[in-house]
Amino acid sequence: MTKPRHPTLDEIRAARQRLAPHLARTPLVHLDLGLPDRKIFLKLETFSPIGAFKIRPALNAVLTRDPAALRNGVATISSGNMAYGMAWAARHAGVPMAAYMYADAPKTKIEGVRKLGGEVRFISHEAWWRYITDAERPDISELVINPVTDQAVLAGNGTIGMEIVEDLPDVDCVLTPYGGGSLTSGVASAVKAIRPQAKILAVEGEHAAPVTASLASGRVEEVETTPAFIKSIGGPSLLPQMWPLVRSLIDGAAVVTLAQVVEAMQLLFTRAKVVAEGAGAASLAAALTSPHATGNVVCVISGGNIDAEDYIQVLRGEIPPP
């Protein structure tokens, strides 16, 4: 079982240098809402070539591998955006790519993988979870890159945190959506190394909040989950391998309702002209509602890959179906 550690600043700097020739820096913009106790900034990963942050960890993971290890191609396990990012990275490297996804993943992400030449292999939610947790691995010839625990994945995500502190040196709080934990842990590793007094909050939806339960009890907890239109955050538990990082890097968790996420998605569209998927807007929903998000608050808007029919419902003020 892979035991990840938080990436060092040197590893994150190396990742940024590795990615810089291929990916433009994403903007950090002020969202002026006139709030008395907090100034909100948006780290817009929606501006990446695939519309999501996952291109950073995927490309860093591919670029750090020995070409011989990639001779049969690369594979990953994903609810959507990591598959999309890995397809982009594999196409850049000129190698085949396969993604293990569940059938009800957003169609825009499935189609994105295929348009970039990737192969989508559908599996059950149960098999997907076993692959993510390394309880089981697909017996294939491609190199399998775990989207959460791979060390190059964590360093790639750390580049987001490094950019945040460079653009806003006096940042007080950073909120990231929490799925498997690689985004939150990578960003926190960079932010805490440069500005240790900044708070890191993991954002979860009411449909599944394992971080909140685990931080409260001091151990990895399993929670009940309910289906939701937000696909890329929330699971039955934390990945056990990520618990040491979560415990040491994260200052707390914030749980948002599906209605609050819809309101945040609408706000991003009307005030910033930004299209965000549910998980991407969750950090803004938490920034607006959490009493712990004060001062200079950065929301990582992690992605904007949402199916059109769901987004139409959001703009109407409706919660899309699971």
Side-chain angles (χ1 to χ4, degrees):
M1 181 178 289
T2 304
K3 292 185 179 179
R5 54 173 175 77
H6 66 79
T8 66
L9 268 183
D10 284 344
E11 289 173 320
I12 295 169
R13 288 192 186 99
R16 185 168 66 171
Q17 291 175 352
R18 200 175 289 119
L19 299 177
H22 315 289
L23 303 177
R25 188 186 187 101
T26 57
L28 183 74
V29 301
H30 178 215
L31 182 64
D32 189 1
L33 299 176
L35 301 174
D37 63 342
R38 64 198 71 186
K39 190 174 182 180
I40 294 178
F41 297 82
L42 310 174
K43 180 61 170 168
L44 295 174
E45 292 302 297
T46 54
F47 277 54
S48 86
I50 65 160
F53 80 97
K54 289 287 192 180
I55 195 168
R56 298 181 189 242
L59 185 58
N60 195 50
V62 168
L63 292 178
T64 54
R65 260 47 182 209
D66 186 316
L70 299 171
R71 63 184 180 275
N72 293 321
V74 65
T76 194
I77 307 101
S78 175
S79 60
N81 280 330
M82 186 63 174
Y84 203 171
M86 193 62 74
W88 194 96
R91 185 174 184 179
H92 173 81
V95 298
M97 177 270 176
Y100 288 86
M101 305 174 71
Y102 38 78
D104 60 344
K107 291 189 290 293
T108 185
K109 299 178 184 181
I110 295 171
E111 292 166 1
V113 173
R114 288 172 169 162
K115 285 178 181 177
L116 288 170
E119 177 188 352
V120 176
R121 300 170 182 171
F122 291 119
I123 55 176
S124 68
H125 282 255
E126 293 75 20
W128 183 87
W129 183 250
R130 291 196 301 272
Y131 288 172
I132 286 281
T133 58
D134 277 343
E136 183 181 333
R137 292 176 70 84
D139 184 15
I140 56 176
S141 60
E142 296 98 338
L143 174 70
V144 179
I145 294 178
N146 188 293
V148 179
T149 59
D150 185 86
Q151 204 60 44
V153 163
L154 289 164
N157 288 330
T159 62
I160 300 171
M162 183 170 283
E163 290 177 11
I164 288 171
V165 182
E166 287 175 346
D167 289 344
L168 188 67
D170 54 350
V171 59
D172 296 305
C173 182
V174 179
L175 298 103
T176 66
Y178 192 99
S182 68
L183 172 61
T184 303
S185 298
V187 169
S189 294
V191 172
K192 290 289 190 180
I194 305 169
R195 185 169 166 81
Q197 64 267 47
K199 291 185 292 187
I200 305 293
L201 299 181
V203 181
E204 304 184 284
E206 62 182 342
H207 61 292
V211 179
T212 301
S214 299
L215 290 176
S217 70
R219 58 189 175 89
V220 177
E221 296 284 357
E222 291 192 8
V223 298
E224 288 189 17
T225 65
T226 55
F229 80 98
I230 305 174
K231 302 298 184 184
S232 49
I233 61 173
S237 74
L238 296 182
L239 273 69
Q241 306 98 301
M242 298 301 291
W243 175 238
L245 278 72
V246 169
R247 189 169 45 189
S248 64
L249 290 170
I250 296 175
D251 297 288
V255 179
V256 292
T257 67
L258 298 183
Q260 288 169 339
V261 171
V262 165
E263 290 172 6
M265 294 169 73
Q266 291 180 305
L267 184 63
L268 284 167
F269 178 75
T270 57
R271 297 295 294 272
K273 304 308 175 190
V274 169
V275 175
E277 59 193 88
S283 56
L284 176 59
L288 295 171
T289 56
S290 173
H292 304 295
T294 57
N296 288 324
V297 178
V298 174
C299 306
V300 178
I301 309 301
S302 58
N305 294 315
I306 182 171
D307 290 345
E309 55 267 33
D310 287 348
Y311 197 60
I312 290 170
Q313 288 191 275
V314 165
L315 295 180
R316 290 173 177 162
E318 303 167 0
I319 299 173

